[in-house]
Amino acid sequence: MLSNLRISKTIYASACVVVWAGFSSSPYHSVAKGIENGIVVKANHSLSVQQLISGTITDEQGAPLPGATIRVKGTSLGTVTDLDGNFSIEVAEGGVLQISYVGYVSQEIAVNGQSTISIQLEPDATQLDEMVVIGYGTQKRSDVTGAIGSVKAGEFNKGVISNPVDLLQGKMAGVNISSTSGEPGAAQNVIIRGIGSLRSGTQPLYVIDGFLLDNSDTGIASNPLNFLNPNDIESIDVLKDASATALYGSRASNGVVVITTKKGKSGATQMNFSASTAWSSMAKKIDVFGADEFRNQVVAAGGALEDFGGNTDWQDELTQVGFSKDFNFSMSGSNTEKFSYFASLGYQDQEGILKNSELERYSGKLNMNQKAFNGRLIVDYNLTASHTENLRPSIGSTISDMLSLNPTIPALTNGEPTLLNTNALNPLKRYELYSDDAANNRILATVSPSFEILDGLTYKLNLGVDYSSTNRYQQYRPYTEVINESNISDGTLDVGISENTNKLVENTLTYNWHNYQHNLSVLAGHSYQTFLDQYRLTSARGFADNNIEPRYQDHNSTSEYPTTVSSSAVKNELQSFFGRVNYIYNDKYLFTGTLRADGSSKFGENNKYGYFPSFALGWNVTKEDFMNNSVFNNLKVRASWGQTGNQEIPSKITKASYAEDRLSTGAGSLNTYPIDTDGNSLDNYPYGIVFTRLANPDLQWEVSTQVDFGIDFAFFNSRLTGTLDYFNKVSSNILLEVVPADPVQPTSTYWDNIPDMKIHNSGIELALDYSSKEQREFSYTIGGNITLINNEVKDSPYSVLTTGAAQGAGQTGATINGYINGHPIGAFYMLEFDGIGEDGLNKFKDINGDGEVLDNDRSVVGSAIPKAIYGAHMNFNYKSFDLGLNFNGSAGSKIYNHTTMSLFTKAQLARSNNATDFAVQYPEESFNNSNTVSTRFLESGSYFRLNNATLGYNLNSEEIGLGDAFQNIRLSVTGQNLFVITDYSGFDPEVNTGSTSGGIQTFGIDRFTYPRARTFSVNLNLTF
């Protein structure tokens, strides 16, 4: 942060140096001189003798501080330093100067007859942390009017981290981060202040060093953010309310995550090397029957026992201890005030707890900053490059096998995986035959020159490109011994090639003007961004069993196994005009107003542009005179209103689309007419053109309108700090693909805005942090956050819009949860289980009391969305030791255990498939009973987790004789996912692996989920 302040000194000076206008009602009259010669403030005062004081203000390194503020205590007189840190001011005899600069400790200097004064300011660690990143700039925390959460590098979660958002889990109120599975690099659900859309998912907009990412699929199965090395990140700021996000317009309704990478620091070059090794194992096993108990339970259930004489724990056989290693080297510095740099190289190799599960990443980072023309020209250059390889097993099949496979089957026979009696595939053999291997190359590069045209007026150009290329190979090697799974016996290969190109051009003008009472900042900008996503899939089948992988074999298409090729390309454009005004009066009264107009190629001609305004007010109450003796060290009140949009919908949906079609058999759909009216063969039915999608140029943007009221406060000499926010967010103009009310339509569905339908999210956020007094040997910080949220769908014209449906024989398509009027998103909608009847079959409650149980007896029985999310952290320091603990959890949610419904039934047990006690909890149950979607499989999703714990020790390099070589040597051990308290019976309550329904995201369904790991790592960090 200190380096960031130094880099921005010239910019800050330009914003601070203004023509002194005398906005005071005092009898003083002041006149400002040019910045090149310093600023001289002359005052006429009839009661005292004035003397001219000149001087220089520097930082702790002796470098000049342009834009530092000098005030004469007790008067309205003031000035700022020029580009060389010089100032001049007239002061009355016995006067006292007050000197301040952002990020430095303020000083008071008595003149005492001096005519020349040199002042060196020292950094203020507490003030340095107050700078936060906002849209297209930075701002002091005390001046922020929006709801922004910030986490710095030193506060990040530790351990094996492949996804940058993992660094934030549990750290911030209003931000719910949950893993979709335990797979290395797995995607995360990031929900900021609730879910407000049907089709657009929950992902926020990610901004890395000023570049706006696209959330499109890059072709690699894991999270697309995995290309970024977490060790390169300096800070992450989350913009939560509309005042903070509206400047990003059409992509900000889910919030904005701003990631700032590390920059060069002033002073001597610093190098850092870190190395870590880690081992992971399955955190929790599901308690399926052992071989002896299985034999008894199958017989007791009335099934036919298939006993192969073995005793196999398939959970042990199909998992492993995954080893990981991580190496990073970086160097940074600034040889002059005109140039700074940060460069890094990283390597991470993370093994999963399933075999053939691995994420390997090579990364490089280069950030440079160059100044010229006395600091008026500044050029920032950022380059991130990565090569990521992701190897995956067949997850669903492997999890199903490890939980349900007969435990009496020996894992190996004569040293080879046992061939199952049905000639099905032994999962150990599947590890040898199946692979899903993706290799991604990605480059994110930006160059941002800025030039101060006039004092305080700066033009900035931001050019950037994000290019990603992925080759993905999914294959089965041929294995002729398996005769009932032809894709395995013949061998298959799917080759996917993806290319994504995201280009950005932005032009901004910023004008900063201030004196000691008035501070005005005006931003105006234009943005143009293009997105091109290309994909090609080739599928082949029928390979020689010659011990060569299918992807390396020659393959010709045959009539029996024809090779298929499909491809697509989607191009989108987004043009935007935006502006912001920040005004601060006397450091007390704050105003922010923004407006963004976005034009997207995704929308039709009649609604091409959307307009997204916001307004916010703030009051620094503690700056008032009547607060001088209050218990508050800080008290700020905030209020904001604004609108943001959502354009994350399929491309081209406003345009008409056609396809060729004709009668394909003698009986079928008559989409074309025969030439011969008596025709009954394909020759008589030529190809015709039919609609596949109707044009809708009137389709409108989804709009999220949000109100926020917040309080920031501090007590006990700022040792206890906190924020309290109330928010109310309403999403309208909901976009959905719907079925026409009129059955006579050329297409079966079309896209429309749902009239009057709204999604409400309201809640309260509270964050508290307490720091002890700094003591010589022992200190600590304790903090936590909690968010209470209420989500509700209102005025929906549909009885239920399915978000989660069951899968499997006899279950496919059965509704599990959805959007239901008057209930939260992800509401579970199903029959209520009422035990087993005398006939051995399910009983369900007759909700409507009509004497029979039908579909209309389904009801809302809970929601996948938690009512409360929370996190806590504790950090202790004793001499050279430090201990950090991070907790997180949620309450009030439900999970549908689809794994239990699919596997752990009495019917499965009777077939000699393994199960848990769940299958035999009703002895009278018939093994012919169906596993109907009901509350029988619905469980509590609440949990409390020790997410992260790190114990570290900082060696004194001087004492061990390495003082000349190393500035710091640190050793640490970290544990991740050390324990979780929950009533959920599955692998982990933090889960979501259901399939989407109609493109609508699923919530709270657990089906064959990759287990979560418990990880321990040993880490070494050297600074030299």
Side-chain angles (χ1 to χ4, degrees), residues 328-340:
N328 291 277
F329 173 77
S330 66
M331 58 184 185
S332 63
S334 175
N335 56 359
T336 68
E337 282 295 313
K338 294 183 177 181
F339 177 73
S340 63

Side-chain angles (χ1 to χ4, degrees), residues 23 74 97 293 472 504 688 701 805 859 917 943 988:
F23 283 88
L97 297 181
E293 188 176 10
R472 183 178 179 183
L504 175 68
W701 302 73
S859 62
D917 286 335
Y943 71 93
D988 195 272

Side-chain angles (χ1 to χ4, degrees), residues 836-885:
I836 299 297
E838 294 180 359
D839 57 359
L841 304 180
N842 293 319
K843 290 196 307 181
F844 303 106
K845 291 184 179 180
D846 180 12
I847 299 298
N848 60 13
D850 63 358
E852 56 183 347
V853 176
L854 300 172
D855 274 354
N856 57 9
D857 288 299
R858 292 182 298 173
S859 62
V860 174
V861 290
S863 173
I865 308 303
K867 296 178 181 178
I869 56 174
Y870 55 89
H873 62 268
M874 302 176 185
N875 296 287
F876 305 94
N877 293 275
Y878 177 71
K879 294 185 177 180
S880 297
F881 289 93
D882 58 84
L883 173 66
L885 304 173

Side-chain angles (χ1 to χ4, degrees), residues 800-1008:
V800 57
L801 284 169
T802 301
T803 59
Q807 303 173 65
Q811 293 294 325
T812 301
T815 297
I816 293 177
N817 58 8
Y819 291 69
I820 300 171
N821 212 30
H823 295 280
I825 288 174
F828 290 103
Y829 186 64
M830 60 188 61
L831 298 171
E832 291 193 44
F833 181 68
D834 197 24
I836 299 297
E838 294 180 359
D839 57 359
L841 304 180
N842 293 319
K843 290 196 307 181
F844 303 106
K845 291 184 179 180
D846 180 12
I847 299 298
N848 60 13
D850 63 358
E852 56 183 347
V853 176
L854 300 172
D855 274 354
N856 57 9
D857 288 299
R858 292 182 298 173
S859 62
V860 174
V861 290
S863 173
I865 308 303
K867 296 178 181 178
I869 56 174
Y870 55 89
H873 62 268
M874 302 176 185
N875 296 287
F876 305 94
N877 293 275
Y878 177 71
K879 294 185 177 180
S880 297
F881 289 93
D882 58 84
L883 173 66
L885 304 173
N886 293 286
F887 304 87
N888 73 289
S890 70
S893 65
K894 299 286 187 180
I895 298 173
Y896 192 80
N897 197 331
H898 200 313
T899 299
T900 295
M901 185 181 75
S902 300
L903 302 180
F904 303 146
T905 64
K906 197 167 188 177
Q908 290 286 81
L909 184 64
R911 299 187 190 103
S912 276
N913 291 317
N914 207 357
T916 65
D917 286 335
F918 185 91
V920 295
Q921 62 178 328
Y922 295 101
E924 69 277 16
E925 182 178 6
S926 169
F927 56 73
N928 292 319
N929 190 29
S930 63
N931 49 348
T932 304
V933 172
S934 71
T935 56
R936 185 179 186 185
F937 309 104
L938 193 65
E939 303 183 42
S940 170
S942 301
Y943 71 93
F944 175 73
R945 187 192 311 275
L946 175 53
N947 186 39
N948 193 277
T950 297
L951 176 65
Y953 180 74
N954 293 295
L955 281 75
N956 189 322
S957 55
E958 295 285 349
E959 291 183 357
I960 60 177
L962 296 175
D964 293 335
F966 297 100
Q967 299 177 25
N968 187 60
I969 302 173
R970 175 177 169 79
L971 295 170
S972 63
V973 292
T974 296
Q976 295 171 263
N977 190 28
L978 293 180
F979 70 77
V980 58
I981 300 173
T982 182
D983 291 331
Y984 183 58
S985 64
F987 285 124
D988 195 272
E990 193 179 308
V991 63
N992 181 33
T993 50
S995 62
T996 60
S997 178
I1000 302 174
Q1001 183 170 344
T1002 297
F1003 301 99
I1005 297 177
D1006 180 0
R1007 184 176 187 271
F1008 306 156

